Amino acid sequence: EKVVADAAAPERAAAKADAAAQVKADKEVAAAAAAEVKSQSEAVKAEAAAAQKEAKAKTQAEAAARAEEGRAERTAAAAAKTAQQDAGKAQRLAEKVVADAAAPERAAAKADAAAQVKADKEVAAAAAAEVKSQSEAVKAEAAAAQKEAKAKTQAEAAARAEEGRAERTAAAAAKTAQQDAGKAQRLAEKVVAD
């Protein structure tokens, strides 16, 4: 309010000066008229009119000054509101710029995560295939060992049969073959489980 009043002071001073000059001129005119007609009554009337005009000019000057102060206050309030709105817009714009700048980083992180998941799946699939291949190889080795044991047992049984111990040798060989086959089977299962 003080700044507004100080800003309006020169205009009020100028208005007062103009009013004073006008009043002085009116007084001079009235004095000249009074001197010219040499009528004390007319001089009094002229002075009264000048006084009335001075009061009117003073009232008009004050009204103009008050109107100017009101306009200045409204202008300052509007400027403050505009500045606040501009600050809000700038804040929102800055937040949007920050969000847009972070978007590529988020997209890159998602892409890296997807690539890592895909790589992990491929590694797991390769490991499963390798385990399956090893399991099949172990099964084949166990089958070959079982077949070899069976052939060996049959050959030994035949040899012992030729020597006259066919029945006992066959029973023992069959038992041994069964045990070997069981051991081979359990070994194969253990290898597959490992």
Side-chain angles (χ1 to χ4, degrees), residues 24-114:
K24 184 178 180 182
D26 292 340
K27 284 184 178 181
E28 291 176 354
V29 171
E36 185 177 356
V37 297
K38 297 194 184 278
S39 171
Q40 188 175 1
S41 175
E42 291 181 0
V44 170
K45 289 181 181 179
E47 290 179 0
Q52 186 177 2
K53 195 169 185 179
E54 180 182 0
K56 184 178 180 180
K58 183 178 179 180
T59 302
Q60 290 177 347
E62 292 177 352
R66 283 195 295 271
E68 184 63 27
E69 290 177 0
R71 283 194 295 272
E73 290 177 357
R74 289 192 297 273
T75 302
K81 185 176 180 181
T82 302
Q84 187 175 3
Q85 292 174 347
D86 291 343
K89 290 179 181 178
Q91 178 68 23
R92 290 191 294 272
L93 178 61
E95 292 174 355
K96 183 177 185 300
V97 170
V98 171
D100 292 342
E105 294 181 359
R106 290 197 298 271
K110 288 182 180 179
D112 291 342

Side-chain angles (χ1 to χ4, degrees):
E1 290 174 355
K2 183 176 183 302
V3 171
V4 171
D6 292 343
E11 294 180 5
R12 289 201 301 271
K16 287 181 180 180
D18 292 342
Q22 185 64 40
V23 169
K24 184 178 180 182
D26 292 340
K27 284 184 178 181
E28 291 176 354
V29 171
E36 185 177 356
V37 297
K38 297 194 184 278
S39 171
Q40 188 175 1
S41 175
E42 291 181 0
V44 170
K45 289 181 181 179
E47 290 179 0
Q52 186 177 2
K53 195 169 185 179
E54 180 182 0
K56 184 178 180 180
K58 183 178 179 180
T59 302
Q60 290 177 347
E62 292 177 352
R66 283 195 295 271
E68 184 63 27
E69 290 177 0
R71 283 194 295 272
E73 290 177 357
R74 289 192 297 273
T75 302
K81 185 176 180 181
T82 302
Q84 187 175 3
Q85 292 174 347
D86 291 343
K89 290 179 181 178
Q91 178 68 23
R92 290 191 294 272
L93 178 61
E95 292 174 355
K96 183 177 185 300
V97 170
V98 171
D100 292 342
E105 294 181 359
R106 290 197 298 271
K110 288 182 180 179
D112 291 342
Q116 185 63 38
V117 170
K118 184 177 180 182
D120 292 343
K121 285 184 179 180
E122 291 176 353
V123 171
E130 183 178 356
V131 170
K132 184 177 180 181
S133 175
Q134 291 179 354
S135 175
E136 291 176 354
V138 169
K139 286 182 180 179
E141 290 178 0
Q146 188 175 2
K147 192 171 183 180
E148 182 180 358
K150 185 177 181 181
K152 181 178 180 182
T153 302
Q154 289 175 350
E156 290 177 353
R160 281 195 292 271
E162 291 178 356
E163 294 174 357
R165 299 189 298 267
E167 292 181 0
R168 291 191 301 274
T169 303
K175 185 176 181 180
T176 302
Q178 187 176 4
Q179 291 175 349
D180 291 342
K183 290 180 181 179
Q185 181 66 25
R186 287 192 296 275
L187 177 61
E189 291 174 354
K190 183 175 184 299
V191 171
V192 171
D194 294 342

